[in-house]
Every structure is written in C-alpha cells, then in structure tokens.
C-alpha cells in the first residue's frame, strides 16, 4: 500500500471510529502515548485509546471494531507490556475504567476485568475469603492477571477461576474456567479474545490470618524487588529446565546495574529492567534485554523467554493479526 493509500485508509478508519464511539457513548481519545499508559513509562504514540466503562459497552465496541475491520489491542494497567517507540497505528482498548463492582455471594466473587487486582485481594481478605492473598502485590487489573495467569507466593489466579466473561458477537458470554488452560505465566486465551470479567471461587478463612499472609508476601516482595521503580516486574520467565531462577542467573553473570541509555538492570533484582529519566526509551530496554539474552545463551546455553510482552508498532494488532497471513514466528507474544 502506498503512503497516500495508507493515509486515506486511516482517515476513513478515524471517521468510522468516531462514529462508533459517539453512538455507543464510549470515550475515545487521540494523542496518548504508551509512555503514559505502561508501568515502564516508555513507548510511542497510539492512534486511539478507547475506554469503555461497562462490560456490555466493551463487548459492543469490540464487535463494532471487528465489523469495521479496525485492529485493536486490550490494555489493562500496562504493567506487563513493553511497547516500542514507534507510532502504533491501532486502537488501544483501555480496560482500566471498566471497574464495575465486586459482588460476593458465599465463596463466589464476581469482578470486572478492569478492577485492580491488589484492591480485589484486600476486598476479599476483609470478607474472610482465601485463595488469592499471594497476588496482593501484583500491580495491574484482573483482566491482565487472567490473560497471563498471574501468580506469586503459591497462588495463581487461574486455579481459583470458576468462570470467565468474554465478548462474543457484541454480547457478554460466560465460559467455564476449567475450559481454559492455565500454565506458568500463560493462559490459552487466543488473540482477539476480550476478557470482561470473572467469577472466582475462594474459601472461607480467618480474615486476620489471611491479612497476615498478605503482609508476609508484601514484606518478602519489598525485601527482594525494587520498590517504586519503573518496571514491568520480571522481564523473563524462569527457564523450565533449570533449578536456578532467571534473576539469579543474570546476577551471577555480574549484570546487576548494567545500563543501556535510560534502561538499567535493577541492582535489587536482576530480572527487573527499570527505566530512568523523563525521556526514557523502549529501544534502550529492548537492547538491554537482548544483551542479557545473548549472554545467557552464550554463557549458560539457556534461551530466555520474555515474560513481558513486546508490542511492536509495525506488528498488526489483535484483530488484524488474527486475520493476517503473517507467520506465527513474527508474533512476539511468546507461547500465545
Ligand atoms: C513491580 C511489578 C511486579 C510484578 N510482579 C508480578 C508477579 O509477582 N507475578 C506476576 O504474574 N506478574 C507480575 N507482574 C506483571 C504484571 O503486574 C501482571 O502480569 C499483571 O497481571 C498484568 O496486568 P495488567 O492489567 O497490567 O495487564 P497489561 O500489562 O495491561 O496487559 C498484559 C496482557 O494482558 C492482555 N490483557 C489485559 N487485559 C485484558 C483483557 N481485559 N482482555 C484481554 N486481554 C487483556 C493485554 O493485551 C496484554 O497482552 C509485576 C509487574 C510489576 C510492574
């Protein structure tokens, strides 16, 4: 497609998008950047950010986008995403306004995808429900946690998920949690699936004991991870065949404190890459990550796999990706 044809296509897309957002009463913004929307505080411009507030609205809007052949990606709190510095010509469906209300009925807890995971952990602990207190220190939304089967300190969200609400043909549909494969930092949801909410099945326990376990997980986190730094948590997964964690492997290579421009290997936890400065660049974080992978490959014979998701500006977004003939290998979303 020539530059002129691409410009005309995008203008037509913009008109469609404005019409859809107005009709459905959903906020649509231009001029946002990934640097404002991700915890690493890096990343380039986004054509559109659309922020539904209810599950029904989100289901409707994603259906309309698909009908209009407009590519999109879902974003929660952006705490597991490294978006590159380029111009991202797709729609970001921001779910962080879709908070809804937590509904508790006995041991069942229903929550929308945009609800904060740490907040939910506090809410259910107060209600005397156990099963997710280990997740209390994981930043992000419930939707992001479901997508990557977030886990910490012996708990994983997938193991307590009874049902997941997803968008289907413009409506909210419910699927059983045991129909989803929940693996290490990975779920079997496919590109193009929008998660709207979930019902968790927890167990009753003494609120004080739950709170004590949550505090314990918090202090262990504070002792071992950088606090208040701009990161995306662990950058790489732990290698399946190794008994040594990735953080320790990188640390033993003497890479704590290694720097590429605005990106640094955290001196506190070597599997955390943190960014610094007003104009930090994704390119620096990526270069540092690749340097780490190269050294680990050379010195340990281990192929590190990204835990953080790499979003490329020149890579098709979800819906376009599902329909494209692009080879699987070009998709940076490991294992997904
Ligand atoms: C300091 C720090 C510590 C961390 N510690 C941990 C930890 O201990 N354990 C752990 O597992 N993770 C950890 N993380 C990573 C991150 O917090 C989790 O992965 C979190 O669950 C991501 O949620 P999010 O809302 O930020 O998702 P995002 O980063 O916004 O998105 C992550 C992925 O989920 C998809 N997604 C998000 N919402 C939806 C939706 N509603 N529908 C469809 N797809 C969706 C996105 O498209 C993207 O592919 C840490 C991160 C930080 C910054």
């Amino acid at each position: 497609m020539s530059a002129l044809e691409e410009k005309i296509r995008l203008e037509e897309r913009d008109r469609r998008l404005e019409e859809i957002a107005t009709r459905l009463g959903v906020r649509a913004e231009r001029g946002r950047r990934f640097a404002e929307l991700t915890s690493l505080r890096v990343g380039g411009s986004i054509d559109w950010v659309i922020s539904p507030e209810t599950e029904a609205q989100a289901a409707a809007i994603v259906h309309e986008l698909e009908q209009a052949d407009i590519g999109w990606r879902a974003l929660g709190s952006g705490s597991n995403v490294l978006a590159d510095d380029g111009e991202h010509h797709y729609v970001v469906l921001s779910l962080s306004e879709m908070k809804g209300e937590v509904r508790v009925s006995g041991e069942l807890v229903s929550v929308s995808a945009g609800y904060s995971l740490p907040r939910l952990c506090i809410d259910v602990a107060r209600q005397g429900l156990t099963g997710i207190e280990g997740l209390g220190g994981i930043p992000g939304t419930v939707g992001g946690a479901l997508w990557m089967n977030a886990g910490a300190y012996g708990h994983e969200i997938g193991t307590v998920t009874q049902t997941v609400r997803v968008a289907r043909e413009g409506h909210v549909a419910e699927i059983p949690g045991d129909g989803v494969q929940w693996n290490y930092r990975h779920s079997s949801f496919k590109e193009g699936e929008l998660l709207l909410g979930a019902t968790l099945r927890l167990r009753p326990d003494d609120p004080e004991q739950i709170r004590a376990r949550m505090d314990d997980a918090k202090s262990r986190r504070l002792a071992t991870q950088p606090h208040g730094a701009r990161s995306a948590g662990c950058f790489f997964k732990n290698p399946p065949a190794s008994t040594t964690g990735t953080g320790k492997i990188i640390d033993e290579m003497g890479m704590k404190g290694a720097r590429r421009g605005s990106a640094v290997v955290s001196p506190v936890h070597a599997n955390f890459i943190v960014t610094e400065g007003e104009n930090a660049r994704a390119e620096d974080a990526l270069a540092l990550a690749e340097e780490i992978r190269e050294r680990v490959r050379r010195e340990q014979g281990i192929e590190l796999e990204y835990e953080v998701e790499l979003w490329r500006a020149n890579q098709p977004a979800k819906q376009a990706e599902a329909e494209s003939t692009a080879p699987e290998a070009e998709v940076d979303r490991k294992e997904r």
Side-chain angles (χ1 to χ4, degrees), residues 95 158 232 311:
L95 280 323
W311 287 13

Side-chain angles (χ1 to χ4, degrees), residues 67-307:
Q67 296 286 301
D69 208 15
I70 298 175
W72 59 276
R73 280 182 182 279
L75 188 72
S77 302
S79 61
N80 200 45
V81 169
L82 170 61
D84 74 25
D85 301 305
E87 297 173 0
H88 295 252
H89 292 302
Y90 48 78
V91 172
V92 165
L93 201 61
S94 167
L95 280 323
S96 53
E97 296 303 315
M98 195 179 75
K99 298 188 181 82
E101 276 174 21
V102 177
R103 290 187 299 277
V104 179
S105 167
E107 298 173 9
L108 296 179
V109 178
S110 172
V111 60
S112 285
Y115 202 81
S116 146
L117 181 65
R119 180 80 249 159
L120 178 68
C121 293
I122 293 170
D123 293 348
V124 299
R126 283 199 187 126
Q127 303 264 349
L129 290 169
T130 178
I132 55 169
E133 58 270 24
L135 313 181
I138 303 180
T141 60
V142 169
L146 290 166
W147 189 267
M148 68 158 305
N149 189 22
Y153 303 109
H155 288 148
E156 265 184 1
I157 195 151
T159 56
V160 295
T161 301
Q162 169 113 340
T163 56
V164 182
R165 293 188 294 283
V166 294
R168 288 277 191 280
E169 304 291 324
H171 300 285
V172 182
E174 198 160 50
I175 58 171
D178 59 13
V180 179
Q181 282 166 33
W182 305 100
N183 298 320
Y184 168 52
R185 299 301 89 82
H186 170 64
S187 68
S188 57
F189 296 114
K190 295 279 186 295
E191 295 287 346
E193 184 82 278
L194 179 66
L195 312 182
L196 300 171
T199 298
L200 311 182
R201 179 179 283 281
L202 304 176
R203 281 170 288 112
D205 198 359
D206 173 25
E208 276 184 25
Q209 286 193 24
I210 301 171
R211 189 72 216 196
R213 288 195 292 272
M214 199 144 80
D215 290 347
D216 177 52
K218 192 177 165 193
S219 36
R220 281 199 272 164
R221 196 177 275 276
L222 279 174
T224 54
Q225 297 182 3
H227 183 57
R230 297 172 353 191
S231 82
C234 286
F235 225 83
F236 303 104
K237 295 185 183 183
N238 288 322
S242 168
T243 48
T244 314
T246 302
K248 192 147 189 281
I249 295 173
I250 301 170
D251 187 8
E252 283 173 353
M253 292 188 322
M255 287 195 80
K256 271 185 175 168
R259 173 183 288 274
R260 278 285 185 109
S262 53
V264 184
V265 176
S266 164
V268 184
H269 191 312
N271 199 10
F272 279 54
I273 289 180
V274 301
T275 65
E276 294 177 354
E278 277 289 291
N279 299 310
R281 293 184 63 77
E283 159 180 290
D284 293 336
L286 260 176
L288 187 56
E290 281 303 312
E291 185 184 331
I292 293 169
R293 289 182 83 211
E294 170 56 28
R295 279 197 56 185
V296 172
R297 190 182 298 128
R298 206 172 55 231
E299 294 176 25
Q300 311 282 332
I302 293 171
E303 195 67 37
L304 285 183
E305 193 180 325
Y306 282 98
E307 179 166 329

